[in-house]
Amino acid sequence: MISSSSMSLFGLLFGLIVLLMLPFPSRASDPDPLQDVCIADLNATISINGFPCKPASNVTSDDFFTDFSKDPTTFDVFKRAVTLGDVFGFPAVNTQGVALFRIDLDVGGINPPHTHPRGTEAGIVTRGTVLVGLVTTNNTFFSKVLTPGKVFLIPRALVHFQLNVGNEPATFIPIFNTQNPGVSDSIGTLFDTTPPVPNEVLTKSFRVGDDVINTIRAARAQSSWINILDDLNAPISINGFSCKLDLEVTSDDFFTDFSKDPTTFGIFKRAVTFGDVSGFPAVNTQGVSLFRIDLDVGRINQPHTHPCGTEAGIITRVKVLLGLVANNNTFFSKVLTLGKVVSNS
C-alpha cells in the first residue's frame, strides 16, 4: 500500500495548484456546453452523446469537487491503480470537454501501451520516477524519464505508455480535453476481442506460429501524425502557430517542468508557471494546456474568467478556497486540501 505522506512531500516541492485550460473548440475537443452546468445523470435511461443533466435544483457545491488524495489499496495485474476523473468518476465534467485521472504504479508497474481515441493527454508526475514513451504514426519513438513536477504531452490517438522505473511507487495525473477520452489497449484490441480475431490473421501479421499466439492469449486471459509542435517565431499568423519540421522534433519537445518553486511573486503574491502554447509549445493544435499556480500565504488568484476554455485543477499543497459563480448568480465554493479536484467553466 502506498503512503499518503509521499504525495504531501511532493506538495512541499511542487506548489499550490495545477490548472488545465482548454482553448477554443477544435477538432480534438468536445462541443461547447450550452448551459453553465450539466452534472451527468449516470443512471438516466435515455442514450445521448454524453449524459443528460441532473435537475438544476438538485445541483450542490459537492457536485463540483472530487478527491484524488487517497492512495490505492489494490492494484491490477500490471501493478496499476486508476482513480477516475472522467464523466464516470466525476459527473461534473459532463459537457465541459475535460477529464483527469490519478494513475498509481507500484514498483515495476506499467500503464501498458494504449491510445485515447477521443482526446489529447497532458500529464504531470507527482511522485516517483516514470518513463513516458509515445510512438507517432510514422513509427518514431519519443521517450523521457520524468520525476516529480515534470510534465508530458501525448497527442490524440497516439500509442503511448508509462512505466515506473524507480525504486518506489509512482503517481501521475493525466488530463484530457474531453469528458470521456476512451482507452484502446494496443494489445487488447488484437488478443482480447469477442469473438476473437482469427489466429491466421495474427500469425501472418506477426510472422509467428499458432503456439506463440496461443501463449499470448492465455497470458492475457489472466490479466496521423498530428501537427503537435509550434514555431513561436514564424512570421505568418494562423489559428495557433505554425509547426516545426518533423525532422526537428525531439523527445524533449514533449516534456516540460513544473517542479521548480518560484523565486519571485507578482503584486498579488502569485506566481504562474506556463504550460500553455507559450510555455509548452507541444500543446499547439492539441486543444489542451495546463499551468502551475503558486500563492503566498493569504494571497489570492483574483476573480477572473477564461473565455476560451474550461478549467480543471488539483490542489498539490496546503489549503485553498475556490469559488465560482454561474450566470444566474448562484455561488458555489469549497475549501480544498491536498489531492482535491475542481472543474468549472
Side-chain angles (χ1 to χ4, degrees), residues 177-233:
N177 61 337
T178 170
Q179 69 185 47
N180 184 18
V183 60
S184 179
D185 180 343
S186 301
I187 301 173
T189 54
L190 295 175
F191 292 96
D192 299 344
T193 62
T194 303
V197 174
N199 267 28
E200 182 180 7
V201 173
L202 300 177
T203 55
K204 288 184 175 180
S205 298
F206 291 103
R207 299 182 181 180
V208 296
D210 280 320
D211 55 336
V212 174
I213 299 301
N214 292 334
T215 298
I216 295 174
R217 286 194 192 279
R220 292 291 297 176
Q222 299 174 21
S223 60
S224 104
W225 176 253
I226 304 172
N227 295 330
I228 61 165
L229 298 170
D230 70 349
D231 179 357
L232 300 180
N233 299 314

Side-chain angles (χ1 to χ4, degrees), residues 5-83:
S5 63
S6 55
M7 195 166 183
S8 58
L9 285 175
F10 169 65
L12 296 176
L13 295 172
F14 177 65
L16 182 63
I17 187 168
V18 176
L19 299 177
L20 171 72
M21 298 290 304
L22 295 179
F24 202 73
S26 68
R27 289 174 297 173
S29 60
D30 294 339
D32 271 346
L34 300 178
Q35 60 281 316
D36 286 339
V37 297
C38 179
I39 310 301
D41 180 357
L42 302 181
N43 298 315
T45 56
I46 62 174
S47 176
I48 61 174
N49 184 22
F51 290 90
C53 312
K54 284 176 62 173
S57 58
N58 292 346
V59 176
T60 69
S61 287
D62 284 340
D63 286 317
F64 293 91
F65 305 92
T66 192
D67 190 354
F68 277 9
S69 64
K70 299 176 181 177
D71 289 326
T73 56
T74 58
F75 292 84
D76 63 18
V77 68
F78 299 109
K79 298 185 177 180
R80 172 190 59 183
V82 179
T83 304

Side-chain angles (χ1 to χ4, degrees), residues 149 319 344:
K319 185 183 298 184
N344 61 270

Side-chain angles (χ1 to χ4, degrees), residues 21-343:
M21 298 290 304
L22 295 179
F24 202 73
S26 68
R27 289 174 297 173
S29 60
D30 294 339
D32 271 346
L34 300 178
Q35 60 281 316
D36 286 339
V37 297
C38 179
I39 310 301
D41 180 357
L42 302 181
N43 298 315
T45 56
I46 62 174
S47 176
I48 61 174
N49 184 22
F51 290 90
C53 312
K54 284 176 62 173
S57 58
N58 292 346
V59 176
T60 69
S61 287
D62 284 340
D63 286 317
F64 293 91
F65 305 92
T66 192
D67 190 354
F68 277 9
S69 64
K70 299 176 181 177
D71 289 326
T73 56
T74 58
F75 292 84
D76 63 18
V77 68
F78 299 109
K79 298 185 177 180
R80 172 190 59 183
V82 179
T83 304
L84 298 180
D86 59 359
V87 69
F88 301 102
F90 191 14
V93 304
N94 190 47
T95 77
Q96 297 300 321
V98 63
L100 66 168
F101 296 74
R102 169 177 169 170
I103 309 292
D104 290 272
L105 299 175
D106 208 350
V107 177
I110 188 172
N111 197 22
H114 61 283
T115 66
H116 300 290
R118 293 186 292 272
T120 295
E121 174 180 342
I124 180 167
V125 175
T126 60
R127 174 172 53 183
T129 306
V130 180
L131 171 64
V132 178
L134 62 139
V135 181
T136 68
T137 54
N138 64 4
N139 287 331
T140 303
F141 176 59
F142 298 101
S143 68
K144 198 163 192 175
V145 174
L146 304 182
T147 51
K150 298 303 196 306
V151 175
F152 61 86
L153 187 284
I154 309 295
R156 181 183 183 185
L158 293 189
V159 174
H160 61 284
F161 66 86
Q162 292 92 7
L163 172 67
N164 184 353
V165 293
N167 297 317
E168 62 176 338
T171 304
F172 63 96
I173 307 294
I175 309 171
F176 297 88
N177 61 337
T178 170
Q179 69 185 47
N180 184 18
V183 60
S184 179
D185 180 343
S186 301
I187 301 173
T189 54
L190 295 175
F191 292 96
D192 299 344
T193 62
T194 303
V197 174
N199 267 28
E200 182 180 7
V201 173
L202 300 177
T203 55
K204 288 184 175 180
S205 298
F206 291 103
R207 299 182 181 180
V208 296
D210 280 320
D211 55 336
V212 174
I213 299 301
N214 292 334
T215 298
I216 295 174
R217 286 194 192 279
R220 292 291 297 176
Q222 299 174 21
S223 60
S224 104
W225 176 253
I226 304 172
N227 295 330
I228 61 165
L229 298 170
D230 70 349
D231 179 357
L232 300 180
N233 299 314
I236 61 174
S237 176
I238 60 175
N239 184 22
F241 293 90
S242 57
C243 306
K244 272 188 175 182
L245 297 175
D246 287 359
L247 294 178
E248 296 177 359
V249 177
T250 69
S251 288
D252 285 341
D253 286 316
F254 292 90
F255 305 93
T256 192
D257 189 355
F258 277 9
S259 64
K260 298 175 183 177
D261 288 327
T263 55
T264 58
F265 291 83
I267 188 173
F268 297 107
K269 300 293 184 180
R270 175 188 59 189
V272 181
T273 304
F274 288 92
D276 60 358
V277 69
S278 63
F280 191 15
V283 303
N284 189 46
T285 78
Q286 297 300 320
V288 64
S289 63
L290 65 170
F291 295 77
R292 167 180 167 166
I293 309 295
D294 291 89
L295 299 176
D296 209 348
V297 177
R299 301 305 178 174
I300 189 172
N301 196 21
Q302 293 176 295
H304 60 281
T305 65
H306 301 289
C308 296
T310 294
E311 172 183 328
I314 181 170
I315 306 302
T316 60
R317 181 167 60 184
V318 197
K319 185 183 298 184
V320 178
L321 170 64
L322 196 147
L324 60 134
V325 181
N327 283 341
N328 63 2
N329 289 332
T330 302
F331 177 59
F332 299 99
S333 68
K334 196 162 191 176
V335 174
L336 304 182
T337 53
L338 175 68
K340 298 300 192 293
V341 177
V342 63
S343 171

